[in-house]
Amino acid sequence: MSRVFEPGDRVLLVDNRRRRHLVVLEPGGQFHTHAGIIEHDGVIGRADGSTVRTTRGARLTAWRPTLSEYVLEMPRGAQVIYPKDIGPILMLADVFPGARILESGVGSGALTNALLRAVGPTGSVTGYEIREDFAKRAVQNVHGFLGTDVPLDVQVRDVYEGIDEREVDRVILDLPEPWRVVKHAADALVPGGFLLAYLPTILQVGRLREELVSAPFALIETLEVLHRAWHVEGQSIRPDHRMVAHTGFLTVARRLADEPQSTSGGE
Ligand code: SAH
């Protein structure tokens, strides 16, 4: 996207201490910082990565927000899956352009945004979310980043009661009892399709895996993603003092094909 900032666009303003502010541009609008005011009109018409000045002469840089930045700033109802896990989820579940995805719960729509971007306009995401308020918020959060023309269908319903969709390529779960979805996922998935679940505790993982091994799934794997940022300044080059020690475990499995029933009756 090489176009310049336009009214209605989101812009991330970053000050010299790397503080970030997400602003929606409006003609005549103003953004107040501790170091003076940024006129929105001074950003509109400029390119991504431009330096803009406050009324007191301080410099900020103006950027088009990435999906990670948007996810961390967007309004949340439910706890979101963080970018450090979202990236690996797309790869582990091998989410491809054109894929048909069943996602549950939808929560705040952080993962939904990433799934939609990965499947593209020829794919689709059907979301089952039990809470109507979360479903609405999630759709707003998707529209706020990807626009309203997206192949997304969010339904207010309980995935534990079943999945109506058939021939889906991926079932992606972020809810407390994914083992209650394993049989429904087996019915919904194409042969070779993936089930992926994000779970905060390892006892939940154990329960899920017990269910997976007694269902038509194989190649079951569980992992966690550790993300350690580094501080790099002059001679001081070392890991940051703080890191997020834990978010959740990722478990992935693939749907076996149903074997044709043998009619020979043996040798
Ligand atoms: N992955 C989401 C966050 C999901 S939070 C994100 O990145 O934004 C878990 C969600 O699962 C909650 O919104 C909760 O309401 C929903 N949920 C819990 N049980 C459910 C069920 N049985 N069926 C559908 N949704 C459910």
Side-chain angles (χ1 to χ4, degrees):
M1 256 199 286
S2 65
R3 62 190 186 85
V4 297
F5 290 115
E6 289 170 15
D9 282 353
R10 277 197 173 69
V11 59
L12 192 77
L13 296 172
V14 183
D15 68 20
N16 58 359
R17 299 181 61 189
R18 293 250 211 147
R19 274 183 302 234
R20 298 149 170 262
H21 316 274
L22 193 63
V23 175
V24 177
L25 294 172
E26 317 166 14
Q30 291 189 328
F31 175 69
H32 293 253
T33 77
H34 62 287
I37 296 166
I38 295 271
E39 302 284 352
H40 290 199
D41 291 339
V43 183
I44 291 168
R46 305 285 305 278
D48 195 2
S50 292
T51 301
V52 294
R53 282 174 179 274
T54 68
T55 43
R56 302 218 314 257
R59 290 158 182 267
L60 284 84
T61 46
W63 306 93
R64 217 170 270 292
T66 63
L67 180 50
S68 302
E69 287 157 346
Y70 178 75
V71 160
L72 298 176
E73 303 278 341
M74 72 188 194
R76 302 179 200 169
Q79 177 63 270
V80 300
I81 298 187
Y82 283 98
K84 86 157 171 80
D85 294 305
I86 291 180
I89 286 172
L90 297 178
M91 210 61 193
L92 279 170
D94 199 37
V95 177
F96 59 92
R100 294 186 62 210
I101 306 227
L102 188 291
E103 185 197 9
S104 187
V106 178
S108 306
L111 182 59
T112 317
N113 257 317
L115 291 171
L116 280 165
R117 204 158 73 157
V119 302
T122 59
S124 66
V125 175
T126 303
Y128 285 13
E129 168 54 55
I130 204 161
R131 282 190 50 173
E132 189 168 5
D133 52 339
F134 286 178
K136 267 197 194 136
R137 165 66 56 75
V139 170
Q140 283 166 3
N141 280 340
V142 167
H143 290 174
F145 190 75
L146 295 175
T148 54
D149 188 17
V150 280
L152 172 65
D153 173 26
V154 176
Q155 303 174 15
V156 179
R157 54 187 289 179
D158 181 348
V159 75
Y160 299 154
E161 289 178 356
I163 296 175
D164 289 342
E165 283 66 25
R166 288 293 175 268
E167 302 277 299
V168 306
D169 298 299
R170 308 292 183 250
V171 172
I172 313 276
L173 302 172
D174 175 13
L175 38 64
E177 301 182 9
W179 49 91
R180 295 175 64 184
V181 189
V182 167
K183 292 215 164 59
H184 308 317
D187 293 338
L189 280 168
V190 296
F194 287 66
L195 177 151
L196 182 143
Y198 172 93
L199 282 169
T201 77
I202 205 67
L203 290 181
Q204 290 169 296
V205 171
R207 186 85 190 267
L208 171 64
R209 293 195 57 141
E210 263 173 37
E211 192 68 30
L212 284 168
V213 293
S214 61
F217 285 95
L219 305 184
I220 310 170
E221 271 180 69
T222 296
L223 58 91
E224 62 182 316
V225 177
L226 304 183
H227 171 131
R228 189 164 71 149
W230 282 55
H231 170 92
V232 178
E233 210 176 279
Q235 297 294 307
S236 168
I237 302 185
R238 53 160 177 79
D240 278 348
H241 290 133
R242 289 165 207 272
M243 70 184 273
V244 176
H246 179 66
T247 53
F249 300 102
L250 306 178
T251 298
V252 69
R254 293 192 75 179
R255 173 73 163 90
L256 287 159
D258 296 321
E259 295 302 324
Q261 295 295 316
S262 165
T263 50
S264 68
E267 315 289 273

